[in-house]
Amino acid sequence: MNVTTPALLFPAISLLLLAYTNRFLTLASLIRKLAEAESSLGSEARLRQIMLLRRRISLTKRMQVAGVFSFLLCTLSMFALFISLDWLGLILFGISLVTLSISLVFSLWEVLISTNALNVQLQDLEGYARARQQPSKSRAEEDQNAAE
């Protein structure tokens, strides 16, 4: 193995870290919006959203740490190969690939939780829609009874 093999991973890891940063910024924005709209949400839905956001933040932190660690190990691997420590470079590159895989697993887990959070929000919206429909049905029934 030569220095170019780990160097191929550099652009991929950099783009991955950029995507992770965007996920983090999105989470921060969601948390701020939830804090602003705290009074308009039902308490159960709000608590479920907060729980899911906490889990997502934790996973985002873990995937960022694993991604940065992968990037660092990839750099050290290239340095080891540059100074002709082939065995060390190979080991560091292997560990780099493992930590990159761990980072991707955390990312997948966070995406699954994110879709669950969206389902919670949709359930909350469905509850609001049903609550709005019920008064209009009772008014229509009252109007019908009054006409009779």
Side-chain angles (χ1 to χ4, degrees):
M1 183 169 83
N2 59 27
V3 176
T4 58
T5 304
L8 292 173
L9 210 53
F10 260 61
I13 295 173
S14 298
L15 287 173
L16 189 64
L17 290 175
L18 181 61
Y20 290 170
T21 301
N22 286 337
R23 295 294 295 174
F24 177 77
L25 292 174
T26 300
L27 281 171
S29 174
L30 286 172
I31 291 169
R32 288 185 185 105
K33 284 181 184 177
L34 184 62
E36 288 174 11
E38 180 180 355
S39 61
S40 66
L41 290 174
S43 61
E44 184 180 332
R46 183 179 19 174
L47 290 174
R48 288 171 58 195
Q49 287 286 10
I50 290 169
M51 180 191 69
L52 291 171
L53 285 169
R54 283 191 188 281
R55 231 187 266 163
R56 289 176 65 194
I57 288 171
S58 175
L59 287 171
T60 300
K61 180 176 77 173
R62 290 176 187 173
M63 67 189 184
Q64 285 178 328
V65 167
V68 168
F69 196 55
S70 176
F71 196 49
L72 178 62
L73 288 170
C74 191
T75 304
L76 292 174
S77 170
M78 286 175 37
F79 183 71
L81 292 170
F82 177 73
I83 60 173
S84 299
L85 295 174
D86 294 342
W87 180 245
L88 180 61
L90 187 63
I91 290 172
L92 289 172
F93 183 64
I95 297 170
S96 172
L97 291 176
V98 169
T99 56
L100 181 60
S101 297
I102 290 168
S103 176
L104 291 171
V105 167
F106 283 137
S107 178
L108 176 62
W109 191 359
E110 193 273 334
V111 166
L112 294 173
I113 290 174
S114 175
T115 56
N116 189 17
L118 289 173
N119 282 328
V120 167
Q121 201 163 14
L122 286 173
Q123 288 172 356
D124 197 33
L125 288 173
E126 286 172 347
Y128 288 142
R130 286 187 189 124
R132 287 182 189 145
Q133 286 178 346
Q134 286 178 347
S136 63
K137 283 183 182 178
S138 62
R139 285 182 193 152
E141 289 172 359
E142 287 174 7
D143 290 343
Q144 186 179 13
N145 290 338
E148 294 175 354

